Amino acid sequence: MIGPLVRISALVGVAKAQLARAPGRTVLAVVAVALAVLSVTLFASLGVGVVSVGQDRIEETDRDVWITSDPVDGSTGGTENAIVGAHAISADVSQRDDVSRAAPIGLYTTYVGTDPADLRPITAVGVYETHGGFDFESGSGFDGDRDALDVPPGETDATDVVVDPTFADELGVTVGDTVYVGVGASGESARAFTVVGTADLYSQYLGEPTITMRLTELQGLAGSRGTDRAAFVTVDVADGADSAAVSDDLAAAYPQYDVRTSDEQFLSMIRDRGLVVTSGAALVGLSVVGGIVLTANLFVLLAYQQRQQLAALRAVGLSRPVIAGLVGVQGFIIGAVGGAVALVATGPITGQLNAVVRDLVGYGSLLQTPPSVYALGAVVAIAIGSIAAVAGGWSASRYACLSRL
């Protein structure tokens, strides 16, 4: 038992001496491993984020069942809200004992600005009230009008609007200021609204800046109060009720619409965005393969750079397995240090990249780093690095001979 420990200790000592003898080369190797592992963790975090961001958005809405349908003008990319009589449906569904509340959500393209003659296009989300999860940066939201939820909408004097923080900065407005909202760029239909808060909840969900206002007001601007159109009717089931059973009952009651649980809604979104999911999986696969290739190539080159020293060790009687083990120990040390540097840097770098992505496209957490991402980076740095180094050392031991001295 003592003999193997002495040999391993001697092997580690020789490996450390080899690394210390060429500090510049060792530092470059550590940096190279750190960059290879960073490529793994960053690409993997992007792949994980691409796949999971949609599921996060669905879960954040905290709704159990979704009633929806394809856009009326879907073939041309239109966004005409397909559910007709949305408030009546919501009121009818809310009467069920196994439902605590149902509410419609509308999506319309509007034009917003501080001057009716200078309006910018932006998606407006119409809701019953500003529910939980808005996480306002400033101000607050607006309360729901029970009558507006239970009966078809009519005229209203309310003029509250929640604006995406980035869009509010572009307009130069804050809480208490007035903006004009219309459905045409000319501003002829624009009405004055008061900014009551800034929040990006629905901006993250849609991936672009949005404003949020009462659905009844939005329908009034869009001219769809008569047909009472909405894009979704969301349903909260009562405590103890089974979401799947409620979904099945509503699907039978409204066969003209698609009725899904929140999980089914997420899967539907995945099917509609197969290219996005494929891209996310490809990024994860590319990160793993790329990291392994980069790490293996690095340690093969490291072994080749030491061919003369290894030839000298062979000349004094060290066997090929010992030579391979010597390079493998070096790979373990370099992989551990380089991997640690990369894993420590992964969090801050993903934070900075998420800030850039948020400014560009509105998603605040497109790069996600669950423990599995760090585990993947550690495996590539240490396990794959050590195996590649042993393989490189074994290969180097073939040409580490007296003729190399």
Side-chain angles (χ1 to χ4, degrees), residues 313-339:
L313 293 173
R314 283 280 285 164
V316 299
L318 269 66
S319 64
R320 290 185 63 187
V322 172
I323 295 294
L326 175 63
V327 179
V329 171
Q330 293 182 37
F332 177 82
I333 296 173
I334 293 174
V337 176

Side-chain angles (χ1 to χ4, degrees), residues 50-402:
V50 167
V51 174
S52 65
V53 68
Q55 187 174 20
D56 292 343
R57 299 286 84 79
I58 290 291
E59 292 177 350
E60 286 173 2
T61 60
D62 194 25
R63 296 295 183 268
D64 300 310
V65 177
W66 294 70
I67 301 175
T68 184
S69 182
D70 293 332
V72 172
D73 195 19
S75 61
T76 58
T79 57
E80 181 68 44
N81 293 241
I83 297 179
V84 178
H87 285 79
I89 293 175
S90 299
D92 181 60
V93 173
S94 296
Q95 297 301 315
R96 294 172 55 97
D97 294 335
D98 51 6
V99 170
S100 61
R101 192 187 69 169
I105 298 177
L107 300 174
Y108 289 89
T109 298
T110 58
Y111 293 82
V112 180
T114 56
D115 185 343
D118 182 20
L119 303 180
R120 305 181 188 183
I122 188 171
T123 298
V125 180
V127 296
Y128 159 67
E129 64 181 356
T130 47
H131 46 78
F134 264 80
D135 192 20
F136 293 98
E137 286 197 8
S138 62
S140 59
F142 45 81
D143 296 329
D145 181 354
R146 176 54 57 181
D147 291 338
L149 182 60
D150 291 343
V151 299
E155 293 294 337
T156 175
D157 295 328
T159 56
D160 301 327
V161 63
V162 175
V163 181
D164 175 84
T166 302
F167 189 63
D169 290 340
E170 292 178 3
L171 294 179
V173 299
T174 185
V175 174
D177 291 343
T178 297
V179 295
Y180 294 88
V181 184
V183 293
S186 64
E188 295 178 354
S189 63
R191 288 180 53 201
F193 283 76
T194 301
V195 178
V196 295
T198 59
D200 63 355
L201 174 64
Y202 285 105
S203 300
Q204 294 185 47
Y205 184 80
L206 297 177
E208 61 183 27
T210 61
I211 62 172
T212 307
M213 56 198 303
R214 289 183 177 84
L215 177 59
T216 53
E217 297 172 304
L218 185 56
Q219 289 176 329
L221 288 173
S224 65
R225 274 184 179 157
T227 52
D228 187 18
R229 289 185 176 276
F232 307 97
V233 172
T234 60
V235 180
D236 294 336
V237 303
D239 293 340
D242 182 32
S243 298
V246 173
S247 177
D248 292 340
D249 290 346
L250 294 179
Y254 301 99
Q256 69 274 36
Y257 298 124
D258 298 318
V259 182
R260 306 184 182 99
T261 63
S262 59
D263 290 340
E264 292 170 341
Q265 181 69 13
F266 171 69
L267 293 176
S268 173
M269 185 187 70
I270 290 295
R271 286 193 293 269
D272 293 341
R273 294 164 175 78
L275 181 60
V276 174
V277 177
T278 302
S279 299
L283 286 172
V284 175
L286 179 64
S287 68
V288 175
V289 174
I292 292 174
V293 171
L294 289 173
T295 305
N297 186 60
L298 167 68
F299 287 114
V300 168
L301 291 176
L302 181 67
Y304 182 78
Q305 289 291 321
Q306 300 178 73
R307 59 191 182 282
Q308 289 185 335
Q309 294 91 331
L310 297 178
L313 293 173
R314 283 280 285 164
V316 299
L318 269 66
S319 64
R320 290 185 63 187
V322 172
I323 295 294
L326 175 63
V327 179
V329 171
Q330 293 182 37
F332 177 82
I333 296 173
I334 293 174
V337 176
V341 171
L343 296 183
V344 170
T346 294
I349 291 177
T350 54
Q352 293 297 320
L353 291 176
N354 274 330
V356 173
V357 172
R358 180 172 183 165
D359 291 340
L360 292 177
V361 299
Y363 287 120
S365 57
L366 189 58
L367 282 78
Q368 299 184 10
T369 54
S372 58
V373 170
Y374 289 100
L376 182 61
V379 167
V380 171
I382 298 177
I384 303 299
S386 299
I387 294 173
V390 169
W394 181 262
S395 176
S397 66
R398 292 186 304 172
Y399 52 77
C401 54
L402 291 176

